[in-house]
Amino acid sequence: MYRRSADGWVEVICGPMFSGKSEELIRRVTRSKIARIPVQVFKPQLDTRYADEEVVSHSALKVEAEPVDGSLELLRAISDATEVIGIDEGQFFDDGLVDIVDNLAAKGKQVIVAGLDTDFLRRPFEPIPTLCDRAEYVTKMLAVCHRCGGAGMYTQRIVHSDDLVVLGATDAYEARCRMCYDPTEPEQPSLGLGDE
Ligand code: ADP
Ligand code: MG
Ligand code: ZN
């Protein structure tokens, strides 16, 4: 006998900076809002680049979002009635996000997580790669390479820093294709494509 599966599932939207992850997340949660489905959107507390209580894309699309300090705080902030949960900048969450997202889906929620799948040295940026394993749907986005216009798959840091997390947009990072990516590249000015 077949057992009907739960209504919930996990969607991951991953890719480098400027690939349109936030835009795509905003598009999906906005459609749910139009359909009057109860939605909550979250972002990590540390990402306050553009606004405190909104997710804002580089193209200035926006949606209301609750800043939370870690995955447990996110879990506690979810209302029973909420059916769609959007999470931006998932790479800035702790590894606890994986089981929390998994359990929410098992309980019937639709969870959409956007985030970087690799860091500026092309290393896996957890918890996004593990979340991809747990997701029914994975969308890998590509940016436009800031140097040659090709398929930008990586995030190149263009300012010098030894920290893993340097918040910034076009002043600190560029999208690069596999030919133009160079982790040993010295600091250099951006070509000024995009939204500067
Ligand atoms: P992400 O969340 O992946 O960093 P956003 O959704 O915030 O990306 O922004 C995507 C938008 O950024 C694009 O629609 C475009 O308007 C703008 N943009 C600026 N630079 C680039 C680039 N190099 N490649 C693609 N889009 C870019
Ligand atoms: Mg984004
Ligand atoms: Zn290139």
Side-chain angles (χ1 to χ4, degrees), residues 15-24 56-59 88-89 142-146 170 175 193-195:
M17 281 185 70
F18 308 106
S19 62
K21 302 181 300 297
S22 297
E23 243 174 35
E24 181 59 21
V56 184
S57 76
H58 292 110
S59 49
D88 200 18
E89 304 289 357
L142 290 169
V144 177
C145 173
H146 276 96
T170 36
L193 305 176
D195 60 345

Side-chain angles (χ1 to χ4, degrees), residues 55-158:
V55 165
V56 184
S57 76
H58 292 110
S59 49
L61 294 179
K62 51 180 96 161
V63 71
E64 244 176 72
E66 304 169 43
V68 285
D69 188 12
S71 61
L72 257 185
E73 196 177 305
L74 181 148
L75 180 63
R76 292 200 183 108
I78 293 169
S79 313
D80 279 350
T82 297
E83 292 176 30
V84 174
I85 299 156
I87 303 169
D88 200 18
E89 304 289 357
Q91 78 282 353
F92 290 152
F93 281 85
D94 50 284
D95 292 345
L97 189 69
V98 174
D99 283 341
I100 284 174
V101 162
D102 217 15
N103 289 333
L104 287 166
K107 279 201 246 146
K109 313 276 190 205
Q110 175 188 350
V111 191
I112 312 167
V113 186
L116 297 168
D117 49 348
T118 58
D119 67 13
F120 69 103
L121 293 174
R122 295 195 297 191
R123 299 172 298 196
F125 207 156
E126 293 293 355
I128 298 297
T130 304
L131 273 170
C132 286
D133 296 345
R134 305 279 182 101
E136 276 84 354
Y137 306 101
V138 176
T139 307
K140 181 161 165 170
M141 313 286 287
L142 290 169
V144 177
C145 173
H146 276 96
R147 294 285 146 175
C148 77
M153 188 162 51
Y154 301 119
T155 305
Q156 170 101 45
R157 184 177 286 178
I158 54 172

Side-chain angles (χ1 to χ4, degrees), residues 145-152 175-181:
C145 173
H146 276 96
R147 294 285 146 175
C148 77
R176 296 283 180 93
C177 72
R178 68 167 71 243
M179 302 306 289
C180 296
Y181 175 81

Side-chain angles (χ1 to χ4, degrees), residues 181-196:
Y181 175 81
D182 178 5
T184 64
E185 185 180 282
E187 183 179 335
Q188 54 174 278
S190 159
L191 285 184
L193 305 176
D195 60 345
E196 285 175 300

